[in-house]
């Protein structure tokens, strides 16, 4: 049903709203300056999402509703949106699906622009700035919606009923068990975050660990946690680029980091892991992948929103690209596990915690930052749930080794941990 237009913008948008209402019944009310507005539902059910259009830029985003346009308008304050985060993202996707379908398929000029950007991206300086932009919001901000150990990567819900904190411990143990970490072995954790994995590796598995990060805030807190645990003799935290690491390590883990490497750099990234891996060693790459075999972004401009506001220079390869690059880097993949369902659940936990602490978080950071993260978390959950992105753990070793050194089965990944 239509609510009578009470403003010039309502009158201008009324034909658009009527066409949209016929094509897609959405629980949405669009208003201009708080007026009566236009309802896009065919029923009298109260709308679950209310959009207040603040200016012409906000109106333009509604008329060309890609996820990038809508997200940009929301983050920059051209649109105000009321409703649960999950309802907002659901409505945004439904609007984008009937928007300009060509928007999700970059044309020739756009592809050339992407190639030029790729050619000059991922220098050491650019990578450091991108990491610091994302991770140096503030430690208190992340602590408000992560688990107590502040593990910022996909958890492992072995039974599906675990709390987030339990599932994050299980994820770390799952990784360390997969790589067969033994007491006294040298472990390198590339992108160590706030130190949860190296702390667990030293405390429970008796390893000697080196963790590296480009985030100053992560470095500071991880170092503090190592000192508090009295493990300075077994754990070293470094503020260091992975390309500058030297030495040999029995085991290497990279969790939620290779998304920042860049597609063109993947073979070189895996070659560095190869060169750092001691003979007989094992490495684990745990990272987000695209489900598009052509390494494309998520649909309807969602990837462009992420690149603009959340992960500058982030690029997601398809798992096929990962395996090709891995072997080009001199590594042999042994075990590959898809944890897409686990990341959807992890993001649901994060988003729910974010919403529960919404007012405190809103007071902690600028309004723009709060809006970005609110939409990013629930939007990413949607993408994992709908098979637009995935999460793969790839266990590997140096290529060319004897077959007799390989395990007969995957049983040790589960029985050893249970024992």
């Amino acid at each position: 049903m239509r609510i009578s237009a009470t403003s010039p913008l309502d009158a201008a948008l009324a034909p658009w709203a009527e066409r949209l209402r016929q094509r897609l019944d959405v629980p949405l009310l669009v208003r201009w300056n708080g007026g009566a507005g236009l309802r896009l539902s065919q029923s009298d059910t109260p709308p679950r999402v209310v959009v207040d259009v603040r200016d012409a830029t906000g109106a333009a985003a509604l008329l060309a509703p890609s996820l990038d346009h809508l997200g940009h308008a929301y983050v920059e304050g051209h649109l105000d949106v009321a409703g649960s985060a999950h309802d907002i993202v659901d409505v945004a996707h439904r609007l984008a699906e009937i928007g300009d379908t060509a928007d999700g398929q970059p044309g020739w000029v756009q592809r050339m622009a992407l190639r030029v950007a790729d050619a000059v991206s991922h220098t050491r300086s650019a990578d450091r700035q991108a990491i610091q932009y994302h991770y140096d919001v503030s430690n208190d901000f992340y602590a408000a919606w992560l688990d107590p150990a502040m593990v910022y990567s996909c958890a492992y819900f072995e039974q599906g009923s675990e709390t987030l904190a339990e599932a994050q411990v299980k994820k770390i143990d799952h990784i360390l068990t997969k790589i067969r970490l033994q007491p006294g072995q040298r472990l390198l954790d590339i992108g160590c975050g706030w130190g949860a994995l190296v702390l667990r590796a030293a405390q429970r598995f008796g390893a000697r660990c080196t963790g590296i990060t480009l985030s100053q805030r992560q470095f500071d807190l991880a170092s503090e946690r190592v000192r508090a645990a009295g493990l300075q003799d077994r754990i070293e935290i470094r503020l260091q680029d992975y390309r500058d690491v030297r030495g040999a390590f029995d085991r290497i883990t990279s969790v939620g980091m290779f998304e920042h490497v860049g597609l063109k750099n993947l073979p070189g990234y895996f070659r560095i892991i190869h060169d750092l891996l001691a003979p007989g060693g094992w490495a684990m790459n745990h990272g987000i992948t695209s489900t598009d075999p052509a390494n494309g972004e998520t649909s309807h401009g969602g990837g462009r929103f992420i690149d603009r506001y959340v992960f500058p220079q982030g690029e997601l390869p398809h798992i096929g690209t990962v395996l090709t690059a891995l072997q080009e880097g001199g590594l042999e993949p042994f075990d590959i596990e898809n944890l897409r369902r686990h990341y959807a659940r992890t993001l649901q936990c994060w988003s729910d915690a974010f919403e529960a602490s919404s007012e405190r978080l809103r007071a902690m950071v600028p309004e723009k930052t709060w809006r970005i993260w609110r939409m990013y978390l629930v939007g990413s959950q949607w993408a994992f749930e709908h098979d637009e992105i995935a999460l793969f753990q790839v266990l590997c070793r140096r290529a060319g080794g004897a077959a007799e050194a390989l395990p007969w089965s995957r049983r040790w990944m589960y029985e050893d941990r249970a024992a």
Side-chain angles (χ1 to χ4, degrees):
M1 120 180 182
R2 176 184 297 184
I3 295 177
S4 10
T6 58
S7 74
L9 184 64
D10 284 340
L13 289 178
W16 162 83
E18 184 61 34
R19 289 195 302 272
L20 197 62
R21 189 182 301 110
Q22 297 304 318
R23 297 174 62 188
L24 185 67
D25 181 15
V26 293
L28 171 65
L29 174 66
V30 178
R31 302 187 301 198
W32 170 254
N33 284 338
L38 300 161
R39 193 191 300 270
L40 272 69
S41 172
Q42 296 178 19
S43 70
D44 291 328
T45 304
R48 297 202 306 271
V49 175
V50 178
V51 174
D52 284 295
V53 182
R54 295 303 178 197
D55 53 29
T57 300
L62 285 173
L63 293 171
S66 71
L67 295 180
D68 185 37
H69 292 163
L70 293 171
H72 169 73
Y74 172 66
V75 165
E76 300 296 344
H78 304 296
L79 298 174
D80 286 334
V81 187
S84 76
H86 292 277
D87 284 341
I88 291 168
V89 166
D90 180 61
V91 166
H93 273 275
R94 293 169 70 183
L95 288 174
E97 284 170 3
I98 65 167
D100 181 5
T101 55
D103 182 69
Q105 302 295 327
W108 180 81
V109 174
Q110 290 170 299
R111 289 197 299 271
M112 289 303 297
L114 291 173
R115 289 176 184 174
V116 171
D118 181 65
V120 298
S121 65
H122 296 292
T123 63
R124 281 173 166 76
S125 175
D127 283 351
R128 182 173 60 255
Q129 291 173 10
I131 293 295
Q132 291 173 351
Y133 168 85
H134 184 83
Y135 294 101
D136 286 354
V137 178
S138 85
N139 289 337
D140 290 341
F141 175 80
Y142 282 100
W145 48 272
L146 292 177
D147 66 294
M150 294 178 68
V151 183
Y152 185 40
S153 55
C154 174
Y156 182 62
F157 295 86
E158 190 172 20
Q159 305 298 325
S161 58
E162 294 88 348
T163 66
L164 177 62
E166 291 168 342
Q168 289 294 13
V169 172
K170 286 190 173 185
K171 183 271 299 296
I172 293 174
D173 285 353
H174 193 41
I175 291 173
L176 299 180
T177 301
K178 274 187 177 183
I179 62 173
R180 294 182 158 188
L181 186 63
Q182 302 297 318
Q185 287 185 332
R186 299 156 296 174
L187 169 69
L188 171 66
D189 187 26
I190 301 174
C192 66
W194 290 277
L197 187 144
V198 291
L199 284 164
R200 184 75 170 170
Q203 290 171 327
R204 182 169 189 255
F205 291 79
R208 293 181 288 129
C209 307
T210 300
I212 63 171
T213 179
L214 290 177
S215 164
Q216 183 68 52
R217 291 182 185 271
Q218 287 186 340
F219 169 80
D220 293 341
L221 183 54
S223 300
E224 178 184 321
R225 287 179 163 181
V226 170
R227 288 192 295 271
L231 293 170
Q232 302 96 311
D233 60 329
R234 289 159 67 182
I235 301 175
E236 179 186 8
I237 304 296
R238 300 177 187 172
L239 193 64
Q240 187 176 38
D241 191 292
Y242 73 95
R243 288 163 285 202
D244 296 328
V245 178
R246 300 292 180 267
F249 299 88
D250 303 298
R251 301 290 187 266
I252 299 177
T253 52
S254 177
V255 181
M257 179 273 172
F258 94 135
E259 299 90 332
H260 301 285
V261 167
L263 296 177
K264 68 176 182 179
N265 293 329
L266 284 178
Y269 161 77
F270 286 122
R271 173 58 63 178
I272 288 173
I273 290 179
H274 168 279
D275 293 346
L276 292 172
L277 200 57
W282 290 91
M284 161 70 74
N285 190 83
H286 166 120
I288 303 172
T289 59
S290 170
T291 55
D292 178 5
N295 305 312
E297 64 172 32
T298 54
S299 64
H300 308 304
R304 292 195 294 280
F305 174 81
I306 296 295
D307 184 67
R308 189 200 306 230
Y309 288 111
V310 185
F311 283 110
Q313 299 197 81
E315 295 178 279
L316 301 184
H318 185 266
I319 184 59
T321 300
V322 174
L323 297 178
T324 298
L326 186 143
Q327 296 202 282
E328 288 174 344
L331 295 169
E332 175 191 17
F334 176 74
D335 181 85
I336 303 161
E337 184 174 11
N338 186 341
L339 299 182
R340 178 167 71 89
R341 183 178 185 183
H342 297 257
Y343 219 159
R345 174 63 177 147
T346 303
L347 281 153
Q348 179 185 356
C349 293
W350 289 345
S351 180
D352 288 349
F354 192 96
E355 292 296 297
S357 301
S358 187
E359 292 309 310
R360 180 160 64 97
L361 289 165
R362 203 168 191 170
M364 195 179 294
V365 295
E367 175 73 12
K368 179 175 176 178
T369 301
W370 177 83
R371 291 188 177 207
I372 289 170
W373 282 91
R374 187 184 186 212
M375 290 300 100
Y376 160 63
L377 291 174
V378 73
S380 296
Q381 178 189 341
W382 191 100
F384 277 103
E385 286 176 343
H386 291 82
D387 196 24
E388 293 210 342
I389 50 179
L391 186 290
F392 280 93
Q393 289 186 345
V394 181
L395 178 64
C396 57
R397 65 170 193 162
R398 282 185 169 188
E404 65 184 16
L406 294 171
W408 284 113
S409 75
R410 306 171 75 245
R411 194 179 300 257
W412 91 89
M413 298 182 187
Y414 306 99
E415 290 190 345
D416 286 0
R417 188 168 74 248

